[in-house]
Amino acid sequence: MKQPIWLLLLLFALNIQAQTDAETLRTIYTTSLTNGKSYEWLDYLSNQIGGRLSGSLNAEKAVQYTKEELEKLGLDKVWLQPVMVPKWVRGTKEYAFIEASSGTTTTVNICALGGSIATPYGGVKAPVVEVNDFDELKALGKEKVAGKIVFFNRPMQPDLIQTFEAYGGCVNQRYAGAMEAGKLGAVGVIVRSMNLRLDDLPHTGSMSYGDLPNSQRIPSAAISTNDAEKLSGMLALDKNLKFFFNQTCQQMKEVQSYNVIGEITGSEFPNEYIIVGGHLDSWDLGDGSHDDGAGCVQSMDVLRLLTESGIKPKRSIRVVLFMNEENGLRGATKYAEVAKQKGENHIFSLESDAGGFTPRGFSFDCSDAVFNKIESWRSLFKPYLIHYFEKGGSGADVGPLKTDTNVCAGLRPDSQRYFDHHHAANDTFEHVNKRELELGAATMTSLVYLIDKYGISPISNNEELKD
Protein backbone atom coordinates (compact mmCIF):
# COMPACT_ATOMS: atom_id res chain seq x y z
CA MET A 1 0.00 0.00 0.00
CA LYS A 2 1.40 3.40 -0.98
CA GLN A 3 2.00 5.66 2.01
CA PRO A 4 0.75 9.27 1.90
CA ILE A 5 3.49 11.86 1.36
CA TRP A 6 2.86 13.54 4.74
CA LEU A 7 3.55 10.26 6.51
CA LEU A 8 6.78 9.69 4.60
CA LEU A 9 7.96 13.20 5.47
CA LEU A 10 7.09 12.65 9.12
CA LEU A 11 9.01 9.37 9.22
CA PHE A 12 12.01 11.05 7.54
CA ALA A 13 11.97 13.87 10.11
CA LEU A 14 11.74 11.41 13.01
CA ASN A 15 14.67 9.45 11.60
CA ILE A 16 16.83 12.61 11.42
CA GLN A 17 15.94 13.46 15.01
CA ALA A 18 16.79 9.93 16.14
CA GLN A 19 20.22 9.97 14.51
CA THR A 20 23.18 10.17 16.81
CA ASP A 21 25.73 12.91 16.19
CA ALA A 22 28.14 10.30 14.82
CA GLU A 23 25.53 9.15 12.31
CA THR A 24 24.76 12.72 11.27
CA LEU A 25 28.45 13.41 10.65
CA ARG A 26 28.65 10.22 8.62
CA THR A 27 25.74 11.50 6.49
CA ILE A 28 27.48 14.83 5.99
CA TYR A 29 30.77 13.26 4.92
CA THR A 30 29.04 10.77 2.63
CA THR A 31 27.03 13.53 0.96
CA SER A 32 30.09 15.71 0.43
CA LEU A 33 32.22 12.88 -1.00
CA THR A 34 29.51 11.48 -3.28
CA ASN A 35 27.49 14.57 -4.14
CA GLY A 36 29.70 17.58 -3.44
CA LYS A 37 29.53 20.86 -5.34
CA SER A 38 32.70 22.56 -4.10
CA TYR A 39 35.01 21.17 -6.81
CA GLU A 40 32.59 22.07 -9.60
CA TRP A 41 32.27 25.62 -8.28
CA LEU A 42 36.05 25.95 -7.92
CA ASP A 43 36.55 24.74 -11.49
CA TYR A 44 34.42 27.59 -12.81
CA LEU A 45 35.83 30.19 -10.44
CA SER A 46 39.41 29.25 -11.37
CA ASN A 47 39.23 28.29 -15.02
CA GLN A 48 36.39 30.44 -16.34
CA ILE A 49 37.09 33.56 -14.26
CA GLY A 50 40.69 33.29 -12.99
CA GLY A 51 42.69 35.54 -10.66
CA ARG A 52 40.41 37.94 -8.78
CA LEU A 53 42.48 40.90 -7.67
CA SER A 54 40.46 43.35 -5.61
CA GLY A 55 38.83 45.98 -7.81
CA SER A 56 39.36 44.02 -11.02
CA LEU A 57 36.86 42.89 -13.65
CA ASN A 58 37.44 39.27 -12.61
CA ALA A 59 36.57 40.11 -9.01
CA GLU A 60 33.32 41.61 -10.27
CA LYS A 61 32.60 38.45 -12.30
CA ALA A 62 33.26 36.29 -9.23
CA VAL A 63 30.78 38.32 -7.19
CA GLN A 64 28.04 37.79 -9.76
CA TYR A 65 28.82 34.10 -10.26
CA THR A 66 28.82 33.16 -6.59
CA LYS A 67 25.67 35.20 -5.94
CA GLU A 68 23.86 33.33 -8.73
CA GLU A 69 25.06 29.95 -7.47
CA LEU A 70 23.90 30.71 -3.93
CA GLU A 71 20.52 31.76 -5.28
CA LYS A 72 20.20 28.38 -6.99
CA LEU A 73 20.49 26.68 -3.57
CA GLY A 74 17.14 28.10 -2.48
CA LEU A 75 18.51 29.84 0.61
CA ASP A 76 16.25 32.10 2.63
CA LYS A 77 18.30 35.18 1.74
CA VAL A 78 21.09 36.05 -0.70
CA TRP A 79 22.45 39.57 -1.02
CA LEU A 80 25.44 41.74 -1.88
CA GLN A 81 26.98 44.04 0.70
CA PRO A 82 28.68 47.07 -0.90
CA VAL A 83 32.25 47.88 0.11
CA MET A 84 34.81 50.29 -1.31
CA VAL A 85 38.10 48.56 -2.16
CA PRO A 86 41.56 49.58 -3.40
CA LYS A 87 42.48 48.91 -7.01
CA TRP A 88 46.12 48.12 -7.72
CA VAL A 89 47.18 46.97 -11.20
CA ARG A 90 50.37 45.09 -12.06
CA GLY A 91 50.92 46.45 -15.56
CA THR A 92 53.30 44.75 -17.99
CA LYS A 93 55.33 41.73 -16.90
CA GLU A 94 58.27 42.65 -14.70
CA TYR A 95 61.85 42.18 -15.89
CA ALA A 96 65.09 41.91 -13.91
CA PHE A 97 68.73 40.90 -14.27
CA ILE A 98 71.96 40.74 -12.27
CA GLU A 99 74.88 42.60 -13.84
CA ALA A 100 78.35 41.43 -12.82
CA SER A 101 81.34 43.76 -12.69
CA SER A 102 82.49 42.22 -15.96
CA GLY A 103 79.29 43.44 -17.64
CA THR A 104 77.71 40.01 -18.12
CA THR A 105 74.05 39.77 -17.16
CA THR A 106 71.89 37.00 -15.70
CA THR A 107 68.12 37.23 -16.00
CA VAL A 108 66.14 36.46 -12.83
CA ASN A 109 62.48 35.98 -11.96
CA ILE A 110 60.70 38.73 -10.03
CA CYS A 111 57.19 40.10 -9.53
CA ALA A 112 56.00 43.40 -8.09
CA LEU A 113 54.63 43.27 -4.57
CA GLY A 114 51.02 44.33 -4.19
CA GLY A 115 50.75 48.04 -3.48
CA SER A 116 54.21 48.88 -4.77
CA ILE A 117 54.88 51.85 -6.96
CA ALA A 118 56.49 51.42 -10.37
CA THR A 119 60.17 51.81 -11.05
CA PRO A 120 61.21 54.99 -12.85
CA TYR A 121 60.50 54.82 -16.60
CA GLY A 122 62.94 52.34 -18.12
CA GLY A 123 63.71 50.67 -14.79
CA VAL A 124 66.22 51.16 -12.00
CA LYS A 125 69.78 49.79 -11.76
CA ALA A 126 71.94 50.10 -8.67
CA PRO A 127 74.44 48.28 -6.43
CA VAL A 128 72.97 45.78 -3.97
CA VAL A 129 73.22 45.39 -0.20
CA GLU A 130 72.04 42.09 1.28
CA VAL A 131 70.43 41.92 4.73
CA ASN A 132 68.50 39.35 6.72
CA ASP A 133 66.42 41.62 8.91
CA PHE A 134 65.65 45.20 9.88
CA ASP A 135 68.34 45.24 12.57
CA GLU A 136 71.01 44.53 9.97
CA LEU A 137 69.52 47.20 7.73
CA LYS A 138 69.60 49.82 10.48
CA ALA A 139 73.14 48.83 11.43
CA LEU A 140 74.27 49.63 7.88
CA GLY A 141 72.78 53.11 8.19
CA LYS A 142 71.97 55.69 5.56
CA GLU A 143 75.57 56.02 4.44
CA LYS A 144 75.71 52.42 3.17
CA VAL A 145 72.08 52.11 2.04
CA ALA A 146 71.36 55.36 0.19
CA GLY A 147 71.32 54.91 -3.58
CA LYS A 148 71.36 51.10 -3.26
CA ILE A 149 68.86 48.32 -3.84
CA VAL A 150 68.24 46.48 -0.57
CA PHE A 151 67.98 42.69 -0.88
CA PHE A 152 66.09 41.08 2.01
CA ASN A 153 67.11 37.41 2.02
CA ARG A 154 65.74 35.90 5.22
CA PRO A 155 64.26 32.46 4.33
CA MET A 156 61.29 30.78 5.96
CA GLN A 157 62.55 28.58 8.82
CA PRO A 158 62.43 25.03 7.40
CA ASP A 159 62.44 23.08 10.68
CA LEU A 160 59.14 24.54 11.91
CA ILE A 161 56.35 22.00 11.44
CA GLN A 162 53.74 24.76 11.57
CA THR A 163 54.51 26.41 8.25
CA PHE A 164 52.38 29.45 9.05
CA GLU A 165 54.74 30.07 11.95
CA ALA A 166 57.64 29.99 9.50
CA TYR A 167 55.75 32.43 7.27
CA GLY A 168 55.07 34.75 10.17
CA GLY A 169 58.74 34.73 11.05
CA CYS A 170 59.84 36.48 7.88
CA VAL A 171 56.82 38.12 6.20
CA ASN A 172 57.58 41.50 7.79
CA GLN A 173 60.43 41.98 5.29
CA ARG A 174 57.91 41.68 2.45
CA TYR A 175 55.31 43.92 4.08
CA ALA A 176 57.52 46.66 5.54
CA GLY A 177 60.84 46.21 3.72
CA ALA A 178 60.31 49.09 1.31
CA MET A 179 59.14 51.34 4.14
CA GLU A 180 62.26 50.71 6.24
CA ALA A 181 64.69 50.85 3.31
CA GLY A 182 63.03 53.98 1.92
CA LYS A 183 63.72 55.83 5.19
CA LEU A 184 67.44 55.25 4.59
CA GLY A 185 67.47 56.46 0.99
CA ALA A 186 67.42 53.12 -0.86
CA VAL A 187 66.20 53.22 -4.47
CA GLY A 188 64.51 49.81 -4.52
CA VAL A 189 63.85 46.64 -2.57
CA ILE A 190 64.06 42.98 -3.62
CA VAL A 191 62.58 40.43 -1.20
CA ARG A 192 63.13 36.68 -1.10
CA SER A 193 59.80 34.95 -1.84
CA MET A 194 57.84 33.47 1.06
CA ASN A 195 58.37 29.88 -0.07
CA LEU A 196 59.84 26.85 1.71
CA ARG A 197 61.10 25.15 -1.42
CA LEU A 198 63.61 26.23 -4.04
CA ASP A 199 61.96 27.02 -7.37
CA ASP A 200 61.77 29.71 -10.05
CA LEU A 201 58.42 31.22 -9.07
CA PRO A 202 58.29 34.66 -7.44
CA HIS A 203 55.52 35.01 -4.84
CA THR A 204 53.68 38.30 -4.56
CA GLY A 205 51.80 39.64 -1.54
CA SER A 206 50.87 42.92 0.09
CA MET A 207 53.37 45.57 1.15
CA SER A 208 52.96 48.98 2.76
CA TYR A 209 54.70 52.34 2.84
CA GLY A 210 52.99 53.33 6.07
CA ASP A 211 53.02 57.12 6.33
CA LEU A 212 56.20 57.62 4.29
CA PRO A 213 56.12 60.73 2.07
CA ASN A 214 56.06 60.06 -1.66
CA SER A 215 59.68 61.16 -1.94
CA GLN A 216 60.78 58.15 0.12
CA ARG A 217 58.55 55.54 -1.52
CA ILE A 218 60.56 53.04 -3.55
CA PRO A 219 59.60 50.11 -5.81
CA SER A 220 59.47 46.69 -4.18
CA ALA A 221 59.51 43.25 -5.80
CA ALA A 222 59.78 39.59 -4.81
CA ILE A 223 62.44 37.34 -6.30
CA SER A 224 62.14 33.55 -6.64
CA THR A 225 63.95 31.43 -4.06
CA ASN A 226 66.29 29.94 -6.68
CA ASP A 227 67.23 33.40 -7.89
CA ALA A 228 67.58 34.69 -4.32
CA GLU A 229 70.17 31.95 -3.75
CA LYS A 230 71.84 32.91 -7.02
CA LEU A 231 71.95 36.62 -6.18
CA SER A 232 73.33 35.92 -2.70
CA GLY A 233 76.01 33.60 -4.09
CA MET A 234 77.07 36.11 -6.74
CA LEU A 235 77.22 38.90 -4.16
CA ALA A 236 79.58 36.81 -2.05
CA LEU A 237 81.99 36.72 -5.03
CA ASP A 238 81.33 40.18 -6.47
CA LYS A 239 80.44 42.98 -4.04
CA ASN A 240 80.25 45.48 -6.90
CA LEU A 241 77.57 43.78 -8.99
CA LYS A 242 74.41 45.66 -9.82
CA PHE A 243 70.76 44.71 -10.02
CA PHE A 244 68.26 45.98 -12.58
CA PHE A 245 64.49 45.71 -12.46
CA ASN A 246 61.57 47.27 -14.24
CA GLN A 247 57.89 47.24 -13.21
CA THR A 248 54.94 49.38 -14.29
CA CYS A 249 52.40 48.74 -11.53
CA GLN A 250 50.21 51.53 -10.18
CA GLN A 251 47.57 52.32 -7.57
CA MET A 252 44.26 53.49 -9.02
CA LYS A 253 41.25 55.16 -7.41
CA GLU A 254 39.12 53.03 -5.09
CA VAL A 255 36.15 51.24 -6.64
CA GLN A 256 32.97 49.71 -5.28
CA SER A 257 32.82 45.96 -4.84
CA TYR A 258 30.81 43.59 -2.65
CA ASN A 259 30.77 40.89 -0.02
CA VAL A 260 28.53 38.03 -1.15
CA ILE A 261 26.23 36.72 1.61
CA GLY A 262 23.71 33.87 1.78
CA GLU A 263 21.63 32.77 4.76
CA ILE A 264 19.53 29.92 6.10
CA THR A 265 17.35 31.54 8.77
CA GLY A 266 17.29 29.68 12.09
CA SER A 267 14.09 27.89 13.14
CA GLU A 268 14.43 28.58 16.89
CA PHE A 269 17.06 31.27 17.40
CA PRO A 270 17.06 33.33 14.18
CA ASN A 271 18.92 36.22 15.85
CA GLU A 272 21.92 34.06 16.74
CA TYR A 273 24.29 33.90 13.77
CA ILE A 274 26.84 31.30 12.75
CA ILE A 275 28.96 32.25 9.76
CA VAL A 276 31.32 30.37 7.49
CA GLY A 277 33.44 32.09 4.90
CA GLY A 278 36.54 32.72 2.87
CA HIS A 279 37.81 35.63 0.79
CA LEU A 280 36.69 35.95 -2.80
CA ASP A 281 39.57 38.13 -3.97
CA SER A 282 42.94 36.66 -4.84
CA TRP A 283 46.26 37.71 -6.28
CA ASP A 284 46.61 37.85 -10.04
CA LEU A 285 49.57 35.60 -10.87
CA GLY A 286 47.59 32.33 -10.64
CA ASP A 287 43.86 31.74 -10.43
CA GLY A 288 43.62 31.75 -6.64
CA SER A 289 42.41 28.16 -6.27
CA HIS A 290 44.03 27.49 -2.90
CA ASP A 291 44.05 31.13 -1.75
CA ASP A 292 41.18 31.39 -1.33
CA GLY A 293 38.87 29.91 -3.94
CA ALA A 294 38.91 26.68 -1.94
CA GLY A 295 37.68 28.39 1.22
CA CYS A 296 34.90 30.16 -0.66
CA VAL A 297 33.47 27.05 -2.32
CA GLN A 298 33.81 24.98 0.86
CA SER A 299 31.87 27.64 2.75
CA MET A 300 29.17 27.74 0.09
CA ASP A 301 28.87 23.97 0.26
CA VAL A 302 28.39 24.04 4.04
CA LEU A 303 24.91 25.50 3.61
CA ARG A 304 24.09 23.08 0.81
CA LEU A 305 25.35 20.06 2.75
CA LEU A 306 23.26 20.97 5.79
CA THR A 307 20.15 21.02 3.61
CA GLU A 308 21.09 17.88 1.67
CA SER A 309 21.71 16.03 4.94
CA GLY A 310 18.23 16.87 6.21
CA ILE A 311 19.41 19.25 8.93
CA LYS A 312 17.18 22.22 9.80
CA PRO A 313 19.39 24.68 11.71
CA LYS A 314 18.09 26.19 14.93
CA ARG A 315 20.29 29.24 14.45
CA SER A 316 20.80 31.37 11.36
CA ILE A 317 23.69 30.08 9.24
CA ARG A 318 25.42 32.49 6.87
CA VAL A 319 28.04 32.06 4.23
CA VAL A 320 30.09 35.23 3.71
CA LEU A 321 32.48 35.59 0.78
CA PHE A 322 34.64 38.51 1.82
CA MET A 323 36.16 40.94 -0.66
CA ASN A 324 39.64 42.45 -0.36
CA GLU A 325 41.34 40.28 2.25
CA GLU A 326 44.61 40.22 0.35
CA ASN A 327 45.36 43.93 0.22
CA GLY A 328 43.16 45.76 2.66
CA LEU A 329 40.65 43.63 4.61
CA ARG A 330 37.91 46.06 3.60
CA GLY A 331 35.23 43.37 3.23
CA ALA A 332 35.80 41.95 6.71
CA THR A 333 35.85 45.41 8.25
CA LYS A 334 32.61 46.39 6.50
CA TYR A 335 30.82 43.16 7.47
CA ALA A 336 31.77 43.56 11.15
CA GLU A 337 30.79 47.24 11.07
CA VAL A 338 27.32 46.50 9.69
CA ALA A 339 26.84 43.59 12.09
CA LYS A 340 27.63 45.89 15.02
CA GLN A 341 25.29 48.60 13.73
CA LYS A 342 22.45 46.09 13.49
CA GLY A 343 23.23 44.56 16.88
CA GLU A 344 23.64 41.09 15.33
CA ASN A 345 24.78 38.37 17.72
CA HIS A 346 27.47 36.37 15.91
CA ILE A 347 28.06 33.47 18.28
CA PHE A 348 30.45 31.54 16.01
CA SER A 349 32.52 32.45 12.94
CA LEU A 350 34.55 29.94 10.95
CA GLU A 351 36.97 30.78 8.17
CA SER A 352 38.70 28.59 5.61
CA ASP A 353 41.78 30.40 4.32
CA ALA A 354 44.66 27.94 4.48
CA GLY A 355 44.26 26.08 1.19
CA GLY A 356 42.21 23.16 -0.06
CA PHE A 357 44.48 20.46 1.34
CA THR A 358 43.53 17.56 3.63
CA PRO A 359 41.76 18.93 6.73
CA ARG A 360 43.51 18.22 10.05
CA GLY A 361 41.23 20.13 12.42
CA PHE A 362 40.57 23.62 13.74
CA SER A 363 42.04 26.35 15.88
CA PHE A 364 39.72 28.29 18.16
CA ASP A 365 39.82 31.78 19.59
CA CYS A 366 37.63 31.38 22.67
CA SER A 367 37.59 30.96 26.44
CA ASP A 368 38.97 27.84 28.14
CA ALA A 369 35.47 26.80 29.27
CA VAL A 370 34.03 26.98 25.77
CA PHE A 371 37.08 25.26 24.29
CA ASN A 372 36.63 22.36 26.72
CA LYS A 373 33.12 21.91 25.40
CA ILE A 374 34.22 22.00 21.77
CA GLU A 375 37.11 19.64 22.49
CA SER A 376 34.61 17.08 23.84
CA TRP A 377 33.47 16.65 20.21
CA ARG A 378 36.93 15.61 19.03
CA SER A 379 36.05 11.90 19.18
CA LEU A 380 33.32 12.48 16.58
CA PHE A 381 35.96 13.64 14.09
CA LYS A 382 38.49 10.89 14.82
CA PRO A 383 37.09 8.48 12.17
CA TYR A 384 37.94 11.13 9.58
CA LEU A 385 41.50 11.58 10.93
CA ILE A 386 40.64 15.05 12.27
CA HIS A 387 42.63 15.34 15.51
CA TYR A 388 43.84 18.93 15.65
CA PHE A 389 41.68 20.91 18.09
CA GLU A 390 43.75 23.76 19.54
CA LYS A 391 43.27 27.20 20.96
CA GLY A 392 44.83 29.83 18.73
CA GLY A 393 44.09 32.21 15.90
CA SER A 394 41.09 32.04 13.62
CA GLY A 395 41.20 33.99 10.37
CA ALA A 396 41.79 37.51 9.10
CA ASP A 397 38.22 37.97 7.86
CA VAL A 398 36.42 36.69 10.96
CA GLY A 399 38.80 38.34 13.40
CA PRO A 400 36.93 41.69 13.42
CA LEU A 401 33.84 39.86 14.73
CA LYS A 402 35.57 38.61 17.88
CA THR A 403 34.10 39.61 21.25
CA ASP A 404 34.71 38.48 24.81
CA THR A 405 31.89 35.94 24.60
CA ASN A 406 31.79 34.52 21.07
CA VAL A 407 34.00 32.03 19.22
CA CYS A 408 36.08 32.55 16.08
CA ALA A 409 37.75 29.57 14.42
CA GLY A 410 39.86 28.60 11.44
CA LEU A 411 39.91 25.37 9.43
CA ARG A 412 43.40 23.89 9.60
CA PRO A 413 44.35 21.75 6.60
CA ASP A 414 47.75 20.10 6.25
CA SER A 415 49.99 23.07 5.45
CA GLN A 416 53.23 21.46 4.27
CA ARG A 417 52.63 22.25 0.56
CA TYR A 418 50.64 25.45 1.01
CA PHE A 419 53.52 27.89 0.60
CA ASP A 420 54.66 26.15 -2.57
CA HIS A 421 51.63 27.85 -4.17
CA HIS A 422 50.86 30.83 -1.94
CA HIS A 423 50.55 34.05 -4.02
CA ALA A 424 52.38 32.46 -6.97
CA ALA A 425 51.59 31.58 -10.58
CA ASN A 426 51.11 27.90 -9.67
CA ASP A 427 48.14 28.57 -7.37
CA THR A 428 45.91 26.93 -9.94
CA PHE A 429 43.02 24.50 -10.15
CA GLU A 430 45.05 21.43 -11.10
CA HIS A 431 46.88 21.66 -7.77
CA VAL A 432 43.67 21.17 -5.76
CA ASN A 433 42.65 17.59 -5.02
CA LYS A 434 38.89 17.01 -5.31
CA ARG A 435 38.68 14.60 -2.40
CA GLU A 436 40.73 16.78 -0.07
CA LEU A 437 38.58 19.80 -0.93
CA GLU A 438 35.36 17.88 -0.24
CA LEU A 439 36.69 16.50 3.04
CA GLY A 440 37.29 20.09 4.13
CA ALA A 441 33.74 21.12 3.25
CA ALA A 442 32.35 18.16 5.22
CA THR A 443 34.58 18.93 8.21
CA MET A 444 33.38 22.54 8.32
CA THR A 445 29.75 21.46 7.97
CA SER A 446 30.11 18.97 10.81
CA LEU A 447 31.47 21.58 13.20
CA VAL A 448 28.73 24.05 12.22
CA TYR A 449 26.11 21.34 12.85
CA LEU A 450 27.45 20.74 16.37
CA ILE A 451 27.74 24.44 17.20
CA ASP A 452 24.18 24.99 15.98
CA LYS A 453 22.83 22.04 17.96
CA TYR A 454 24.62 22.65 21.27
CA GLY A 455 25.49 26.35 21.20
CA ILE A 456 28.68 27.77 22.68
CA SER A 457 27.80 27.94 26.36
CA PRO A 458 30.07 25.78 28.55
CA ILE A 459 28.93 22.19 29.13
CA SER A 460 26.01 21.91 31.53
CA ASN A 461 25.44 18.96 33.89
CA ASN A 462 22.48 17.67 31.88
CA GLU A 463 23.93 18.08 28.39
CA GLU A 464 24.54 14.80 26.62
CA LEU A 465 26.44 14.20 23.42
CA LYS A 466 24.75 11.72 21.09
CA ASP A 467 27.78 9.96 19.78
Side-chain angles (χ1 to χ4, degrees), residues 42-296:
L42 185 62
D43 186 1
Y44 190 94
L45 201 60
S46 300
N47 293 321
Q48 300 303 314
I49 296 178
R52 303 169 298 281
L53 193 57
S54 177
S56 68
L57 176 60
N58 278 3
E60 183 180 334
K61 289 179 179 179
V63 165
Q64 294 303 318
Y65 171 68
T66 51
K67 176 177 180 285
E68 291 169 3
E69 291 303 306
L70 288 176
E71 287 172 339
K72 291 177 185 177
L73 299 182
L75 305 179
D76 294 312
K77 300 175 186 176
V78 177
W79 71 99
L80 300 180
Q81 184 177 72
V83 56
M84 296 300 294
V85 300
K87 181 174 183 176
W88 177 84
V89 294
R90 182 171 300 280
T92 56
K93 182 175 174 55
E94 303 87 344
Y95 178 69
F97 60 78
I98 304 166
E99 183 179 278
S101 297
S102 63
T104 59
T105 60
T106 304
T107 303
V108 293
N109 298 286
I110 69 160
C111 67
L113 292 174
S116 176
I117 63 171
T119 56
Y121 181 77
V124 60
K125 183 165 68 172
V128 180
V129 289
E130 179 180 356
V131 296
N132 281 312
D133 54 39
F134 295 157
D135 289 338
E136 285 188 17
L137 178 69
K138 291 174 183 176
L140 288 175
K142 193 167 187 177
E143 182 179 343
K144 294 183 178 179
V145 172
K148 307 285 201 322
I149 291 173
V150 175
F151 170 38
F152 287 98
N153 192 33
R154 183 165 79 258
M156 292 176 67
Q157 189 173 333
D159 60 340
L160 293 175
I161 302 303
Q162 300 291 349
T163 62
F164 280 87
E165 185 181 348
Y167 176 71
C170 60
V171 73
N172 67 334
Q173 63 188 341
R174 187 198 74 198
Y175 186 76
M179 179 167 53
E180 297 302 324
K183 294 174 183 177
L184 298 176
V187 296
V189 159
I190 298 297
V191 183
R192 183 189 183 99
S193 286
M194 306 293 106
N195 183 7
L196 279 160
R197 72 176 182 178
L198 293 174
D199 62 24
D200 296 321
L201 298 172
H203 294 229
T204 191
S206 63
M207 55 80 61
S208 173
Y209 294 109
D211 57 1
L212 276 185
N214 289 340
S215 61
Q216 291 183 322
R217 297 189 176 195
I218 57 178
S220 183
I223 187 171
S224 75
T225 49
N226 270 339
D227 288 327
E229 294 287 295
K230 184 181 298 180
L231 176 57
S232 182
M234 292 177 70
L235 273 170
L237 298 173
D238 183 358
K239 298 294 184 183
N240 297 315
L241 64 73
K242 294 181 178 180
F243 192 89
F244 169 88
F245 72 112
N246 185 56
Q247 57 191 41
T248 61
C249 47
Q250 58 180 313
Q251 192 75 47
M252 316 292 281
K253 290 182 179 180
E254 291 185 355
V255 300
Q256 182 171 284
S257 190
Y258 303 90
N259 293 328
V260 184
I261 307 171
E263 177 183 305
I264 299 174
T265 304
S267 60
E268 295 183 33
F269 310 107
N271 294 323
E272 291 187 7
Y273 295 95
I274 295 170
I275 74 165
V276 290
H279 63 86
L280 195 52
D281 63 304
S282 75
W283 288 107
D284 56 321
L285 298 179
D287 59 45
S289 286
H290 277 298
D291 187 20
D292 184 30
C296 288

